[in-house]
Structure formats: C-alpha cells, structure tokens
Amino acid sequence: MRRLLLFSLISLFLLNCKPTSEPPTLILTNGKIWTGEGADTFVEAMAITGNKITQLGSSESILALGSTETEIIDLQGKLVTAGFNDAHIHFLGGSLGLTHVDLLATSSLEQVLSITQEFNKNNPEKEWITGRGWQYTYFESGMPDHQTMKALDIDKPVFLRAYDGHSAYANPKAMEMAGISSATVFEGFGDVVKDSNGNPTGALKEGAMGLVGNLVPAPTYEDKIQALRQGMELAASLGITSMQNASGSEEELNLYLDLLKKEELTVRYAASFSVGEKTSLDQLARFNFLKDSIGTENSWIRADAIKFMIDGVIESHTAAMLEHYSDLLSDDELALGMLNITEEKYKTLVKHLDAMGIRLYTHAIGDRGVREVFIAYEKAIEENPPRERRHRIEHIETISPDDISRFAKSGILASMEPIHADPGTVGVWVKAIGEERLPWSFAWKSILESGAQLVFSSDWPACISLDPIRGIHVAVNRRDPSGFPENGWIPAEKISIYEAMKAYTSMGAYSSFEENRKGLIKVGHLADLIVFSQDLFTINPMDIHTTKVEMTIVDGNVIFEK
C-alpha cells in the first residue's frame, strides 16, 4: 500500500472537479472493498470524512472528491472489510494474562512445563507463578495432577488455568497455602479433584478454583489500565475494532470509561455484568441504572447486557447434559454434568431482567444447558410485554437437534466461538460427548439453515487464539492449520467464507442493536476497517490462517499498520 497526500498533478486534476461541502479526510482507492451487504458486494474505493464513511464507488469517482488535504491510501488491490466485532470476550482477564505465563500457543505438556519454568527463572521477584492455556488433551485422564506436573513442585505457589478458564492446576505449595487436603469438600458449582485414595491431585474445577485463585495478589487499578492498553494494541493488530465483554462489574466498566475520558480507547466496548444465584435485587437495580445512565448514543461504550452461566464445560464434565457423558458411568455424580444456577431462580432472573429491557447472554455448553436457556428466554418473551429482543445463547457446543429450530422461532441469537472447534484440541471433548451426539457439535451450518442468526467471537482468553482469522479458518474448513483432519471434523457443519465473515462483523453489530452505525462498509457508518494481506474470498480456503492484518482503521484513524 502507498499512503500520500494529493499534491501536484492530482491537485490540478481536482481543481476541475465539482467541489463538495466537506472534502474527505481519507480516501482508500484501488482496492477490493467488501461492503458486507452480500456475498459479492465489492467496490474499488471509499471516502471517509472524519469518522464516517461518506462515499463508495470506483477509484476515479472517489478520487475526484478529494482536496489537497485529503490523505490517500493506495490499497494496491488489497481486500478491505469492516472491522471484526469479537462479540464474546473477557478482555481484562486476557489483557492481564499477557504479563503472566502464556500457554495458549502450546501444543504439549512438555511445552507447558518448560515455558512455566522459564518464566519462573526470568521473574524471580514474583511471589506467585500464574498463567493460563494448558489443554485437557495433554493429560491421559483429561486433567493435570501432581505426578504429571512434578516439574512444578517448587517452593513457590504455581496456579495455572486451563485454556478455557474452567479448570486449573495448583502445585503442592499452592494447595498447602489454601489448606486443601483429603478432608476438603467443596460445596457449590465445581470440584476439588481427588485420586482413588482420596488425595487432592492439584486439579480444580469451576468454583473450586477460587480456593487457590483468591489467594493470588490482586492487580491494582493502574495494573489493569496498563494491561488494557497492551491488550488494545494486540486487538488492533488483529483487526478487532469492537468487542462485547462476556462478564464484568461496575469497576471493570469504569476502567473503559477512564480510557475513554483520556481519549485512549481504540476499540468500541460493550459491557455486560455477571449475574448469578447470589446476585441481589439492589445489584440488579444498579446494573439497570448503569444501562440507562450510559445509554446507547455513545458509539464507544454501552452497558446494556447481563451475563449468566448456566453450566460448565464438556471436558471437565460440568456442562449440563440431557443424557450421561459417554466416558462416565450413569451413576457417576457428574454423569449429567451440573447446573450453575437452579432452573427456577434462573427463570425468575431472566424474566425480571428482560422486563428491564436488558440484553441477555447465557453461557450454555451442554445440550441440557442450552435447552434450559430456551425455556427461560421463551417464558420471558411470552409473559413480558412485546418488544424487539436480541437475547443470546453463548457457546452451544452441543445441542439436541430438536432444539435447533427454536432460535429462529423466538429470535434468539446463536453466539458461538469457531476457535473452540479447532480439531487439534477436541480429543477429550469428543470422548466425553460420544459418537451419537457428535453430529450436533458446533453445528454452525445446521443453525444457519434453520433460519437463525449466527454471531462469532473468540471467548479470549478462554481459547487458543484471539485472532479472528484462526477462528474463521476453522469455521470454513473444520481443519486446523496443519490440515488435520484431512476431510474435516464433522465437515457437514462447515460454512462459507461469506457466512463466517458476516458472523464476525455485521452480526456482532446486529446483536447489540448497532447495525445502523457499524459492521458494514456503508455510507453513514463508522469508519472501522481492516486491510488484509490477501483476498479471503478467493484464496484456497486452507490458506485462510496465513492471512495477516496489514492495517486497522478505527473512527477514521489508522491505529495499526504492519
């Protein structure tokens, strides 16, 4: 690409053109610009004035709009799309993790151990060694234990979460500090894993992680602000221009408001507040107040969503299932998984929050979990006054085929993470699900064909990669970057590049009622754009993962350039 100002001969040419009331501040020309309004809707050039897209057309017609002050970017044929909208993310947690042990890119237990040991060696001042990213497939039993993690039996507490954040390993020192022994019984949603002799293995599931995690020194406000700055740089390099947080608090919202006030925010942010069994009515009222006080007019920040967790994850047998897990006996205490909240309490909260006009997200991974969400949402829709709703079910890793049609019938959105279906990471998952349920795994194509709306995201840091391109590669190919498996994992659920790009751009905007101002390259929309290294629409689909972001534009300003 070439960036320049219009001078000399181009200036003389423009003097003969009809003047406009306000010339563009930026023109992108000589490109392949996907507007997002259809599978084959492309233009050559666009004009941007301030933070809005003001004209689309041929390179000649758009160049004619410029002035001597207009900046020109010659795309040299490169693909441009609207910015990615990561519609389910835990951005603060992911950003803070950038300064801890990062295991997300690992592919073996050996790498987990060596990277953690190296981090400990290079950070002798740290009282705790914390990190995230190990995969269940690294362990024969699906979970780490003191024997497999023996190299981390050091005189310093080590606490490492799984890539999905639903399980963790604590070394003997950390377990000792937490007072966890064979006599420990965890009451609640989660489990202290024990061996056949009743001794804790160091593995902790769901809420039980807090027994150790709550001992880790909390970051300061400034630590969090600095982490978000680092996280925003990473997001910009991957073309992420909008995000929707899938958990949070008022304190977390204040971090983004602070960055906005300082004019440092470079990604559009939608907050959600975590709600569960113990959330009080006063807290719900406060969340509603924040929704109304922030409003929806500011294009940078909104706070109109609530996040529930109805179950856990497949790998640790905490996702709620209609039939027992294939790798557990039917009388096992986790044979059907777990619910994180009672059905009646959940229904009551959903109806109450729906009546407030709040958008709802619910984490539901098991097929029973998904069904319970449908029941609660549909009940609220039936009993509360009519209005347009865009409630979402998050993850939907497995679903009963009988429930797929319920999305379109009720207007409920399917919010899913294609990166979670990377075939190189699903070994333990497949064993737990079993052959009979396998066809309905990450059923993107079936959900779309039912008439439902599909929204994509990463769930970062609960994933192996934040990069939307990696997720899109999986969505289109159902194969990992190495080509595994040769014919694709459940290939019937592959979707087209158009469907995947739509789910990662305009559908994210639609899910938050912002489709009239972002998510498409359209006159009047915000100028949030990506320039790619190659054409995602024409390259060999197996080359999608090699595509890089060359430039990211947010609010009409270049915030990343490779």
Side-chain angles (χ1 to χ4, degrees):
M1 291 177 296
R2 290 181 292 140
R3 301 175 64 185
L4 58 149
L5 290 177
L6 288 178
F7 291 118
S8 60
L9 294 175
I10 297 179
S11 299
L12 293 174
F13 169 75
L14 293 174
L15 291 175
N16 296 318
C17 297
K18 184 178 179 179
T20 59
S21 58
E22 186 176 1
T25 50
L26 176 64
I27 284 175
L28 277 64
T29 184
N30 187 28
K32 183 178 181 180
I33 299 172
W34 180 57
T35 69
E37 295 187 278
D40 299 306
T41 53
F42 297 95
V43 295
E44 277 187 334
M46 76 169 78
I48 296 168
T49 306
N51 68 345
K52 297 284 183 66
I53 298 166
T54 48
Q55 195 70 40
L56 302 174
S58 67
S59 294
E60 182 180 5
S61 65
I62 298 301
L63 282 171
L65 303 174
S67 74
T68 57
E69 300 302 314
T70 301
E71 183 180 4
I72 303 295
I73 296 179
D74 182 351
L75 296 167
Q76 299 180 337
K78 296 288 176 60
L79 175 70
V80 176
T81 74
F84 288 129
N85 186 325
D86 193 321
H88 182 120
I89 196 168
H90 308 272
F91 195 66
L92 177 59
S95 298
L96 286 166
L98 295 174
T99 61
H100 299 166
V101 184
D102 184 359
L103 303 171
L104 291 174
T106 61
S107 58
S108 68
L109 173 58
E110 291 71 28
Q111 290 180 355
V112 168
L113 297 176
S114 63
I115 290 172
T116 306
Q117 289 172 312
E118 185 70 14
F119 184 90
N120 181 43
K121 178 182 176 182
N122 295 336
N123 295 272
E125 77 288 353
K126 287 190 176 290
E127 297 179 5
W128 280 73
I129 302 301
T130 60
R132 183 174 189 149
W134 56 263
Q135 295 181 36
Y136 299 94
T137 52
Y138 298 166
F139 308 97
E140 186 175 348
S141 68
M143 282 286 182
D145 56 40
H146 291 322
Q147 184 59 40
T148 55
M149 306 290 271
K150 189 172 180 61
L152 302 182
D153 186 0
I154 58 177
D155 192 31
K156 183 184 285 190
V158 177
F159 186 63
L160 303 175
R161 294 179 184 268
Y163 80 97
D164 62 5
H166 288 267
S167 304
Y169 171 74
N171 76 340
K173 181 66 175 179
M175 297 286 278
E176 176 189 344
M177 291 174 65
I180 298 174
S181 68
S182 58
T184 301
V185 177
F186 181 74
E187 299 289 347
F189 182 66
D191 189 29
V192 174
V193 181
K194 297 178 182 178
D195 61 23
S196 58
N197 296 318
N199 296 314
T201 65
L204 304 166
K205 297 179 181 180
E206 304 293 353
M209 293 187 293
L211 298 175
V212 174
N214 291 339
L215 301 178
V216 178
T220 66
Y221 190 86
E222 187 52 40
D223 289 337
K224 294 175 182 179
I225 286 288
Q226 188 54 40
L228 289 176
R229 292 186 180 113
Q230 189 174 349
M232 287 191 297
E233 289 183 9
L234 176 60
S237 74
L238 300 174
I240 298 169
T241 60
S242 291
M243 62 178 61
Q244 300 180 51
N245 220 40
S247 59
S249 62
E250 183 174 353
E251 179 197 9
E252 187 171 345
L253 172 62
N254 286 336
L255 295 169
Y256 294 92
L257 291 171
D258 191 3
L259 289 168
L260 179 63
K261 183 178 180 181
K262 295 175 180 176
E263 298 185 347
E264 293 185 54
L265 201 59
T266 58
V267 62
R268 303 188 194 279
Y269 176 78
S272 71
F273 303 107
S274 301
V275 167
E277 191 96 40
K278 297 180 180 179
T279 306
S280 69
L281 290 176
D282 286 345
Q283 288 174 301
L284 297 181
R286 180 63 181 173
F287 295 151
N288 193 45
F289 169 79
L290 291 170
K291 169 182 73 72
D292 292 339
S293 62
I294 290 175
T296 58
E297 295 305 310
N298 190 316
S299 66
W300 286 102
I301 287 189
R302 61 196 294 129
D304 59 343
I306 290 293
K307 164 72 181 302
F308 290 100
M309 267 189 61
I310 202 163
D311 66 356
V313 296
I314 300 294
E315 292 89 341
S316 64
H317 304 108
T318 54
M321 305 299 293
L322 295 169
E323 301 291 340
H324 74 81
Y325 281 102
S326 296
D327 58 345
L328 293 180
L329 296 175
S330 59
D331 61 352
D332 190 287
E333 64 179 0
L334 287 176
L336 295 173
M338 307 175 75
L339 288 177
N340 188 35
I341 184 171
T342 63
E343 298 101 303
E344 289 309 311
K345 179 69 171 180
Y346 176 62
K347 290 175 189 174
T348 299
L349 285 169
V350 165
K351 182 178 178 181
H352 181 70
L353 291 163
D354 175 78
M356 291 180 174
I358 293 176
R359 293 186 301 121
L360 302 179
Y361 312 156
T362 303
H363 165 123
I365 283 181
D367 51 11
R368 183 194 169 192
V370 172
R371 182 167 291 178
E372 293 294 344
V373 181
F374 274 125
I375 291 169
Y377 283 2
E378 289 166 351
K379 184 175 186 292
I381 291 168
E382 180 182 353
E383 296 180 0
N384 285 335
R387 65 178 176 86
E388 186 173 9
R389 299 166 169 86
R390 293 181 187 174
H391 298 329
R392 297 173 9 184
I393 305 180
E394 310 297 308
H395 308 311
I396 321 164
E397 293 187 5
T398 182
I399 184 172
S400 166
D402 296 337
D403 289 332
I404 290 178
S405 63
R406 297 170 81 165
F407 286 109
K409 288 177 182 177
S410 56
I412 294 167
L413 307 183
S415 175
M416 304 175 76
E417 295 75 33
I419 193 65
H420 284 175
D422 186 290
T425 69
V426 298
V428 173
W429 193 98
V430 168
K431 184 180 176 184
I433 284 292
E435 289 296 323
E436 188 174 336
R437 285 178 289 220
L438 207 55
W440 310 108
S441 305
F442 300 91
W444 310 313
K445 189 69 172 178
S446 296
I447 288 171
L448 280 174
E449 288 181 343
S450 76
Q453 304 282 14
L454 180 64
V455 182
F456 271 171
S457 58
S458 70
D459 198 19
W460 189 66
C463 60
I464 60 171
S465 175
L466 171 62
D467 189 354
I469 290 294
R470 276 293 305 275
I472 289 168
H473 177 94
V474 174
V476 173
N477 295 290
R478 304 287 290 210
R479 299 164 74 185
D480 72 10
S482 74
F484 172 82
E486 184 177 354
N487 296 318
W489 182 63
I490 318 175
E493 294 299 339
K494 292 192 295 186
I495 61 176
S496 69
I497 184 63
Y498 162 66
E499 291 165 330
M501 289 295 290
K502 178 181 178 181
Y504 238 126
T505 53
S506 60
M507 286 312 303
Y510 176 85
S511 75
S512 59
F513 290 95
E514 296 180 276
E515 69 272 21
N516 291 324
R517 67 181 177 198
K518 66 180 183 181
L520 297 172
I521 294 180
K522 185 176 181 179
V523 172
H525 277 224
L526 293 163
D528 299 346
L529 315 166
I530 311 169
V531 181
F532 293 99
S533 62
Q534 53 188 347
D535 185 351
L536 291 164
F537 291 86
T538 59
I539 60 172
N540 183 327
M542 277 305 299
D543 290 333
I544 289 173
H545 72 96
T546 66
T547 305
K548 302 298 180 186
V549 170
E550 295 209 340
M551 180 181 289
T552 302
I553 296 172
V554 174
D555 218 41
N557 299 307
V558 176
I559 63 166
F560 169 80
E561 188 170 8
K562 189 174 179 182

